[in-house]
Amino acid sequence: MHSLDDLFQRLSHSPFRRRFKLGSAEYQYCLSKGEEAIGQHATDFISARLAPAEPPNDGRQTPMRGHPVFIAQHATATCCRSCLHKWHGVNQHQEMTAEQQARAIAAILRWIGQEMQRPAPLTKPRKSQKSRPKKEGSPQPQQLDLL
């Protein structure tokens, strides 16, 4: 098994893995929850979604957004058993060992730690109501004559 330094070096050459970044909401979530809670979330997700020999929905069990750990899983190739096999040497169709789970969690937390060293991402402005197409038959807002 390669070191995490070796893994991160290899991941840095993957355009797919490099594109993942924490968004503003995930960044703020990490700040508010703290490292210990995020580590527990990573532990829970790995043990429930990846550690079994035949995880349910394998290959589709990790969402692309919604939690910092999910984003980190894609960035570190700890998102499904196929990626774990290719990038981490974890055999498919066998339950993950405690050591393999700890390594996956360490990779996730290291990636999140690196992301948290970057400046906080800017919050994207919400789309205004004006950009939505009007439904036929719906009342149009009245223009106020202010001047």
Side-chain angles (χ1 to χ4, degrees), residues 38-51:
I38 298 298
Q40 187 59 55
H41 296 170
T43 300
D44 294 345
F45 292 154
I46 294 297
S47 67
R49 296 172 179 242
L50 289 170

Side-chain angles (χ1 to χ4, degrees), residues 8-71:
F8 276 78
Q9 179 63 33
R10 290 185 301 128
L11 290 168
S12 74
H13 295 290
S14 168
F16 177 75
R17 303 293 167 193
R18 281 194 328 251
R19 75 179 188 155
F20 291 97
K21 303 284 183 225
L22 289 181
S24 179
E26 295 86 10
Y27 191 96
Q28 293 304 320
Y29 185 85
C30 287
L31 285 177
S32 71
K33 294 296 182 182
E35 187 176 344
E36 188 176 328
I38 298 298
Q40 187 59 55
H41 296 170
T43 300
D44 294 345
F45 292 154
I46 294 297
S47 67
R49 296 172 179 242
L50 289 170
E54 301 293 336
N57 300 315
D58 192 27
R60 294 181 305 280
Q61 74 267 52
T62 306
M64 297 291 260
R65 59 180 170 245
H67 195 287
V69 171
F70 296 155
I71 297 166

Side-chain angles (χ1 to χ4, degrees), residues 50-55 81 89-97 100:
L50 289 170
E54 301 293 336
R81 292 304 294 263
V90 174
N91 289 328
Q92 295 187 54
H93 313 294
Q94 294 178 7
E95 190 170 331
M96 288 176 71
T97 66
Q100 291 168 332

